[in-house]
């Protein structure tokens, strides 16, 4: 549909707009009477609907029913009440234009300067377990139409969708009106509100038993050459064969990313802050926060320079690594890769300080200018050690007062405290050209009790614990990943190489003399024996890897010849 454009010279500038007429229709009546009282006191005409109008009237305030404005009573059990030109002309008239003002006068309609609407409680109705018919009846139609119309026309009217903004509106009414900046902010919140609402409705429909993907999907996929449930992929990233992947679904599983991301509006939330720049100084960047998130984006900065784009990326990677462990753990990250991960030794007097010392010892050179994350509060002991090391960011669940006193002496060190309900996202999103990818977050670890002993003697309890630490820590390393560990700490990391042999060489090189007697973890199987042989020749005493290569027997034979214990986990942890 064509959109009419107007000559900019026809527009009149409007910033402060006095509120003379308000339309109120709310399901959530929190503080409704506070707002109504303030509007009545200011002489604002209040137009309202149904129970909202009755609540305001019962409180002794004058109110005009929408049916008086439209000349029609509510119809179809209340499904139709505000969907009328007398209402929407008042919401959409652009009073900056003489033509709109003339048409409004000709029609005999009056504009609204304030609209207060919140929607039928759809999600609450779903959670109540009511029948589908009741849930469908709680899909709001008129409400979103009024919200979107007013938000579009924010140059002339303010739209309020949350009681949290009532105080601001009351103050604005008393001070002469709303400003353009306020109305633009309210419009942004309104569009996010309706987007989230539509997303919740669509997700509910997708979750119903009688909802199916297009029945032609399987046939279309086959015709297009996509992989079906019974086809096999001809090789994997490491040159192996892999079982077929089911890429055609009749309906999304309730726990699958598809059911959570039908429209995907809510996860993007609102822009929290504009960052100085992106990965490089010529790139613009901003931080957006999830509406109900509790991660690094919602963390509170206690001290230091403002966070940069790269700081956020590295801090999130550090949290990913530190929170993979149940014991007190520290991860030191540089360019999204670990240069040290460690858990506290048993019986340590200051566990988190001890874990930091072990993590730092893995690669002190790379730790310079790194980002540190802990899964426990930072103690005075850890702060005393860190204060002598150039560090960009420390992110932790908390900081002891003595630790803060020490660390705040470093003016450029950013101290970030996590939300009390910190949680890692259950799904991950990555933008690609023309769209985005969505996947379940990699949070699962096969316990050592479920591993298969591929060759060698069963590991004793201490060695098995070392292998389990290495397996968990390896997940935080960019593929192809090799991690060498000893005494609950990484001692050598090979990351991001395009072949596994080079990752093995890099890990050995970084470990130096510490490689002798270390254990090794590989995020994916060894496609050939050559990578494993690099580790064996360096003195690695035990290995854990997924297994599943077409050349597993060749790899097992190399480990057996060296007398080294090797376990297969049956799961892979690629991280790109």
């Amino acid at each position: 549909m064509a959109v009419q454009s107007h000559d900019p010279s026809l527009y009149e500038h409007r910033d402060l707009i006095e509120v003379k007429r308000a339309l109120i229709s709310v399901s959530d009546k929190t503080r409704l009477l506070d707002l109504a009282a303030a509007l009545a006191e200011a002489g604002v005409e209040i137009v309202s609907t149904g129970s909202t109008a009755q609540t305001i009237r019962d409180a002794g305030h004058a109110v005009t029913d929408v049916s008086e404005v439209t000349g029609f009573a509510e119809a179809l059990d209340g499904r139709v009440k505000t969907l009328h030109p007398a209402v929407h002309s008042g919401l959409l008239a652009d009073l900056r234009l003489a033509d709109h003002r003339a048409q409004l006068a000709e029609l005999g309609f009056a504009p609204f300067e304030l609209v207060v609407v919140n929607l039928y409680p759809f999600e609450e109705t779903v959670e109540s377990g009511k029948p589908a018919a009741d849930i469908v009846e709680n899909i709001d139609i008129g409400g979103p139409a009024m919200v979107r119309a007013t938000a579009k026309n924010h140059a002339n009217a303010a739209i309020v969708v949350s009681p949290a903004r009532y105080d601001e509106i009351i103050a604005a009414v008393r001070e002469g009106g709303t400003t353009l900046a306020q109305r633009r902010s309210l419009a942004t919140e309104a569009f996010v509100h309706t987007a989230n609402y539509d997303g919740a409705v669509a997700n509910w429909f997708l979750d119903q038993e009688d909802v199916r993907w297009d029945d032609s999907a399987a046939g279309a996929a086959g015709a297009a050459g996509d992989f079906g449930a019974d086809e096999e992929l001809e090789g994997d990233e490491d040159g192996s064969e892999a079982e077929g992947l089911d890429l055609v679904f009749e309906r999304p599983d309730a726990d699958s990313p598809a059911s959570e991301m039908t429209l995907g509006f809510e996860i993007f939330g609102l822009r929290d802050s504009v960052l100085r720049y992106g990965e490089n100084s010529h790139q613009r960047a901003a931080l957006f926060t999830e509406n109900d998130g509790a991660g690094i984006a919602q963390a509170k900065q206690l001290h230091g320079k403002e966070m940069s784009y790269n700081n956020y990326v590295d801090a999130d990677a550090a949290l990913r690594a530190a929170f993979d462990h149940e014991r007190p753990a520290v991860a030191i990250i540089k360019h999204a890769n670990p240069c040290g991960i460690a858990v506290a030794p048993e019986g340590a007097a200051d566990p988190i300080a001890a874990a930091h010392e072990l993590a730092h010892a893995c690669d002190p050179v790379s730790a310079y200018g790194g980002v540190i994350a802990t899964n426990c509060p930072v103690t005075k002991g850890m702060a005393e050690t860190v204060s002598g090391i150039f560090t960009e960011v420390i992110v932790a669940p908390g900081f002891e007062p003595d630790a803060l006193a020490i660390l705040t002496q470093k003016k450029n060190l950013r101290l970030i405290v996590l939300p009390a309900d910190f949680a890692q996202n259950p799904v991950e999103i990555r933008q690609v050209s023309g769209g985005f990818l969505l996947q379940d977050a990699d949070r699962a670890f096969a316990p050592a009790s479920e591993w298969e002993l591929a060759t060698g003697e069963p590991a004793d309890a201490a060695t098995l614990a070392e292998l389990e630490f290495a397996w968990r820590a390896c997940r935080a390393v960019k593929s192809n990943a090799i991690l060498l560990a000893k005494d609950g700490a990484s001692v050598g990391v090979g990351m991001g190489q395009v072949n596994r042999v080079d990752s093995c060489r890099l890990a050995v090189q970084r470990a130096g003399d510490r490689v002798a007697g270390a254990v090794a973890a590989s995020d994916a199987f060894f496609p050939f024996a050559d990578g494993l042989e690099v580790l064996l020749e360096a003195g690695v005493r035990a290995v854990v890897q997924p297994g599943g290569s077409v050349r597993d027997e060749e790899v097992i034979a190399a480990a057996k010849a060296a007398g080294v214990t090797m376990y297969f986990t049956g799961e892979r942890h690629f991280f790109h």
Side-chain angles (χ1 to χ4, degrees):
M1 183 179 72
V3 177
Q4 183 180 0
S5 62
H6 293 285
D7 183 344
S9 65
L10 298 177
Y11 287 93
E12 294 181 359
H13 176 71
R14 306 188 86 207
D15 184 7
L16 191 70
I17 293 181
E18 181 183 359
V19 177
K20 299 177 182 179
R21 192 168 185 246
L23 174 60
I24 306 178
S25 180
V26 294
S27 291
D28 178 2
K29 294 181 174 55
T30 302
R31 299 199 58 210
L32 168 63
L33 294 182
D34 292 340
L35 178 63
L39 295 177
E41 180 185 347
V44 176
E45 179 190 355
I46 301 174
V47 177
S48 190
T49 61
S51 63
T52 304
Q54 191 59 51
T55 301
I56 296 172
R57 188 175 288 113
D58 289 346
H61 305 301
V63 60
T64 301
D65 288 308
V66 163
S67 58
E68 294 181 44
V69 174
T70 63
F72 289 89
E74 294 183 5
L76 306 179
D77 297 321
R79 286 189 172 197
V80 178
K81 48 192 171 188
T82 59
L83 298 172
H84 191 279
V87 172
H88 282 270
S89 295
L91 301 179
L92 285 166
D94 189 344
L95 300 182
R96 297 172 301 172
L97 294 169
D99 183 46
H100 279 212
R101 295 195 299 272
Q103 287 186 58
L104 207 61
E106 182 180 344
L107 292 167
F109 299 149
F112 294 99
E113 295 82 25
L114 174 65
V115 178
V116 182
V117 174
N118 54 58
L119 310 180
Y120 293 168
F122 178 80
E123 290 181 283
E124 291 86 342
T125 306
V126 171
E127 291 170 2
S128 72
K130 289 185 178 180
D134 289 345
I135 293 172
V136 169
E137 209 55 43
N138 273 278
I139 298 173
D140 206 330
I141 302 301
M146 290 189 289
V147 170
R148 288 174 56 82
T150 313
K152 175 178 179 175
N153 197 30
H154 65 273
N156 300 276
I159 175 63
V160 180
V161 296
S162 169
R165 303 296 289 263
Y166 287 179
D167 284 338
E168 177 185 344
I169 293 302
I170 291 170
V173 169
R174 289 172 176 168
E175 293 168 10
T178 61
T179 66
L180 180 59
Q182 283 178 314
R183 296 192 299 276
R184 185 179 292 119
S185 172
L186 290 164
T188 302
E189 184 176 330
F191 280 122
V192 171
H193 184 60
T194 56
N196 291 344
Y197 192 84
D198 285 341
V201 173
N203 283 335
W204 178 78
F205 270 96
L206 278 170
D207 203 34
Q208 302 312 296
E209 289 299 327
D210 58 345
V211 176
R212 295 288 186 269
W213 292 107
D214 186 344
D215 290 339
S216 64
D226 292 342
F227 295 110
D230 298 323
E231 298 182 84
E232 288 189 346
L233 300 179
E234 289 274 335
D236 200 13
E237 196 154 339
D238 275 323
S240 71
E241 293 177 354
E243 293 183 0
L245 300 178
D246 185 356
L247 299 184
V248 179
F249 300 93
E250 283 192 328
R251 66 179 285 274
D253 182 80
D255 296 325
S256 76
S259 66
E260 298 297 323
M261 277 296 299
T262 307
L263 294 179
F265 294 111
E266 186 163 7
I267 62 164
F268 296 118
L270 292 168
R271 190 175 72 188
D272 185 77
S273 61
V274 175
L275 305 177
R276 287 181 298 166
Y277 50 79
E279 285 181 285
N280 300 290
S281 59
H282 60 276
Q283 295 172 265
R284 294 182 298 173
L287 171 68
F288 282 73
T289 56
E290 297 177 15
N291 295 333
D292 298 316
I296 186 63
Q298 287 77 23
K300 180 180 179 182
Q301 184 164 353
L302 302 179
H303 176 72
K305 296 189 297 185
E306 66 177 288
M307 290 281 283
S308 71
Y309 179 95
N310 292 334
N311 290 154
Y312 276 111
V313 171
D314 283 343
D316 202 41
L319 289 171
R320 172 188 173 103
F323 277 82
D324 274 344
H325 303 277
E326 296 175 0
R327 288 162 58 185
V330 170
I332 306 173
I333 297 292
K334 196 75 167 288
H335 302 309
N337 261 310
C339 46
I341 303 174
V343 294
E346 294 289 348
D350 187 339
I352 206 66
H356 172 258
E357 288 189 23
L358 289 170
H360 182 77
C362 177
D363 189 351
V365 173
S366 299
Y368 180 87
V371 170
I372 299 173
T374 71
N375 64 0
C376 294
V378 174
T379 62
K380 178 183 179 183
M382 177 178 166
E384 288 173 337
T385 303
V386 174
S387 65
I389 303 165
F390 172 52
T391 301
E392 290 275 3
V393 181
I394 302 176
V395 55
F399 294 82
E400 293 182 354
D402 288 343
L404 274 179
I406 294 169
L407 296 173
T408 51
Q409 299 303 308
K410 312 282 288 185
K411 67 176 185 177
N412 291 330
L413 173 60
R414 302 163 178 87
L415 303 179
I416 309 295
V417 64
L418 294 171
D421 56 348
F422 168 73
Q424 293 173 291
N425 290 338
V427 295
E428 297 173 338
I429 303 166
R430 176 173 296 185
Q431 185 179 8
V432 293
S433 55
F436 60 87
L437 301 171
L438 179 73
Q439 67 172 357
D440 293 318
D442 185 5
R443 297 280 179 261
F445 292 99
S449 60
E450 296 178 5
W451 296 352
E452 173 191 350
L453 179 62
T455 187
E457 294 296 320
D460 57 34
T463 301
L464 205 57
E466 292 278 50
L467 286 167
E468 195 155 21
F469 164 78
W471 181 237
R472 285 178 170 265
C474 185
R475 187 188 71 84
V477 181
K478 292 295 185 74
S479 301
N480 290 309
I482 298 291
L483 185 134
L484 306 179
K486 185 183 292 185
D487 299 326
S490 60
V491 295
V493 183
M495 74 287 280
Q497 303 304 300
V498 292
N499 67 73
R500 201 158 295 277
V501 180
D502 283 348
S503 288
C504 292
R505 290 173 180 150
L506 182 58
V508 168
Q509 175 190 341
R510 288 176 177 269
D513 294 340
R514 295 171 296 175
V515 68
V519 302
S522 173
D523 66 342
F525 56 64
F526 292 93
F528 303 94
D530 49 3
L532 177 63
E533 287 167 350
V534 170
L535 303 179
L536 299 176
E537 290 168 7
V540 165
R541 64 187 175 92
V543 178
V544 59
Q545 56 129 325
S549 169
V550 293
R551 297 179 181 83
D552 270 350
E553 291 306 317
E554 174 186 327
V555 176
I556 291 171
K560 185 176 182 179
V564 166
T565 294
M566 182 165 65
Y567 283 93
F568 287 173
T569 65
E571 68 181 10
R572 186 180 73 184
H573 288 296
F574 271 153
F575 179 31
H576 290 98

